């Protein structure tokens, strides 16, 4: 019997997931989809709650996608805890957790990638040149497998959300993309699975990302429009902590991600900073 309303289904194969999606469509049930790389935290749970509200069936995927990690990045050490993730997904009343095997998504002959021409050429795409190709490719594959009507992503990964929205438009996916505001720890640090790498001593430095964003808004409120001046102040805040290495601090157009020199309209301020060995990102829309 088809029991997606009462029992969590753990699906490992593409064929089974597609069959589930087809049966759901046949029964006129809509699917909300939350793609994740697992090691779930409150930020993911908020995405699931949003999905739960927006469709009949909630599907969560857990897949650490090798295609978005470059050599030397943390693919092997990326935190994983499937049992805990399944418990959390169950508590959030997910209907399906889709956990495909790496070889199912990328077999030996795999050679088709999705690339965007402009959005990846900014912010994280500069120091992580294959990252958005990997994200766009796996999200396309997951969309074709899960067949959602709506998919939910966090605004913490602002550029990722922008890339996916653009890709959905460009490739005519019939899927609504919802961005959900960043969920923060009590001290303001944006929630991320990678926060588990941080030592207690590194927390103040990690918090300095959010502090520098708030400082930017305060400077704008005081009438400062010069982006370089604001970036200079943000840099000083981050560098006041040892073991920090700034990848970028950017003030840019929220749609194109092109740099802005004079702030006359709302802008995106985004930054990536390594605290010890942990690369953290955060962002905020700053309004003049
Ligand atoms: O944001 C993430 O966790 C990943 O980039 C995603 C969207 C699940 C693709 O692997």
């Amino acid at each position: 019997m088809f029991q997606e309303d009462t029992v969590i289904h753990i699906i490992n194969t593409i064929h089974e997931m597609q069959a589930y999606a087809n049966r759901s469509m046949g029964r006129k049930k809509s699917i909300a989809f939350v793609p994740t790389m697992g090691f779930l935290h409150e930020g993911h749970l908020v995405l699931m709650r949003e999905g739960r509200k927006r469709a009949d069936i909630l599907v969560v995927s857990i897949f650490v996608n090798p295609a978005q990690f470059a050599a030397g990045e943390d693919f092997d050490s990326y935190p994983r805890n499937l049992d805990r993730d399944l418990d959390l997904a169950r508590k959030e009343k997910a209907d399906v957790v889709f956990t495909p095997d790496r070889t199912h998504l990328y077999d030996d002959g795999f050679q088709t990638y999705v690339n965007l021409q402009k959005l990846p050429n900014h912010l994280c795409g500069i120091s992580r040149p294959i990252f958005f190709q990997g994200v766009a490719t796996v999200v396309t594959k997951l969309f074709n497998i899960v067949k959602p009507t709506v998919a939910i992503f966090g605004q913490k990964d602002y550029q990722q959300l922008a890339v996916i929205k653009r890709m959905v438009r460009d490739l005519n996916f019939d899927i609504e993309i919802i961005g959900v505001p960043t969920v923060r720890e009590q001290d303001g640090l944006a929630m991320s699975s990678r926060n588990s790498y941080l030592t207690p001593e590194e927390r103040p430095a990690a918090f300095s990302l959010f502090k520098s964003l708030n400082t930017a808004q305060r400077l704008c409120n005081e009438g400062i429009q010069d982006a370089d001046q604001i970036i200079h102040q943000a840099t000083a805040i981050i560098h006041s902590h040892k073991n920090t290495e700034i990848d970028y601090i950017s003030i840019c157009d929220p749609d194109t991600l092109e740099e802005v020199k004079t702030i006359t309209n709302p802008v995106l301020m985004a930054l990536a900073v390594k605290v010890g060995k942990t690369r953290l990102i955060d962002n905020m829309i700053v309004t003049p």
Side-chain angles (χ1 to χ4, degrees):
M1 198 184 129
F2 191 51
Q3 299 185 345
E4 81 276 21
D5 293 338
T6 50
V7 181
I8 193 163
H9 293 245
I10 299 158
I11 297 183
N12 308 114
T13 69
I14 294 171
H15 176 75
E16 206 191 325
M17 186 67 241
Q18 283 177 325
Y20 182 99
N22 290 341
R23 284 200 305 273
S24 305
M25 278 192 301
R27 298 176 69 219
K28 306 249 177 302
K29 300 268 187 197
S30 56
I31 296 180
F33 178 41
V34 177
T36 82
M37 298 208 298
F39 211 70
L40 304 178
H41 52 69
E42 183 62 23
H44 295 113
L45 306 189
V46 168
L47 303 184
M48 290 186 208
R49 284 168 211 153
E50 191 61 38
R52 199 50 297 160
K53 282 193 280 186
R54 288 179 179 267
D56 303 312
I57 292 171
L58 174 62
V59 178
V60 178
S61 66
I62 296 178
F63 179 67
V64 185
N65 173 34
Q68 67 193 70
F69 290 80
E73 290 186 349
D74 57 346
F75 175 74
D76 288 329
S77 58
Y78 195 83
R80 293 159 168 93
N81 189 340
L82 187 58
D83 288 343
R84 187 174 152 272
D85 288 349
L86 292 177
D87 280 349
L88 288 169
R90 224 174 254 122
K91 280 195 191 114
E92 293 304 326
K93 301 190 171 38
D95 299 283
V96 175
V97 174
F98 177 48
T99 57
D101 192 76
R102 175 183 180 158
T103 53
H104 292 154
L105 281 189
Y106 301 104
D107 68 19
D108 285 345
F110 185 85
Q111 55 185 292
T112 307
Y113 291 92
V114 178
N115 271 297
L116 286 83
Q117 298 287 307
K118 290 186 189 156
L119 283 173
N121 302 337
H122 306 278
L123 310 180
C124 290
I126 296 171
S127 56
R128 304 188 73 192
I130 65 152
F131 177 72
F132 290 108
Q133 170 184 284
V135 168
T137 302
V138 82
V139 170
T140 297
K141 288 166 71 63
L142 291 169
F143 282 173
N144 285 329
I145 297 165
V146 174
K147 309 184 191 210
T149 43
V150 57
I152 327 287
F153 294 85
Q155 288 170 0
K156 194 207 110 194
D157 300 297
Y158 187 100
Q159 190 175 14
Q160 169 171 282
L161 178 60
V163 160
I164 287 160
K165 280 185 175 162
R166 186 71 248 179
M167 177 186 89
V168 161
R169 209 165 147 184
D170 290 351
L171 300 183
N172 308 103
F173 282 104
D174 191 8
I175 300 172
E176 188 186 0
I177 303 299
I178 306 291
V180 171
T182 303
V183 180
R184 296 182 180 280
E185 312 261 7
Q186 269 189 342
D187 61 2
L189 175 63
M191 286 205 180
S192 162
S193 304
R194 289 191 171 98
N195 291 354
S196 63
Y197 299 151
L198 293 166
T199 64
E201 297 74 44
E202 287 170 340
R203 293 291 295 209
F207 167 69
S208 70
L209 278 78
F210 188 48
K211 192 171 169 197
S212 67
L213 292 170
N214 284 319
T215 303
Q217 183 58 69
R218 182 175 53 73
L219 293 173
C220 271
N221 294 347
E222 289 167 8
I224 293 173
Q225 290 185 304
D226 179 15
D228 283 342
Q229 201 178 331
I230 292 174
I231 290 173
H232 184 77
Q233 293 264 1
T235 304
I237 291 173
I238 308 274
H239 279 162
S240 70
H241 297 270
K242 58 179 182 164
N243 287 332
T244 53
E245 192 189 317
I246 295 172
D247 177 1
Y248 65 81
I249 303 181
S250 175
I251 292 184
C252 59
D253 181 285
D255 296 323
T256 64
L257 309 183
E258 304 276 352
E259 295 226 328
V260 166
K261 284 287 161 209
T262 308
I263 304 172
T264 50
N265 292 307
V267 288
L268 174 73
M269 179 157 165
L271 70 172
V273 177
K274 255 179 121 180
V275 175
K277 290 197 184 115
T278 311
R279 187 176 183 280
L280 300 172
I281 58 171
D282 205 347
N283 70 79
M284 188 186 269
I285 298 291
V286 173
T287 313

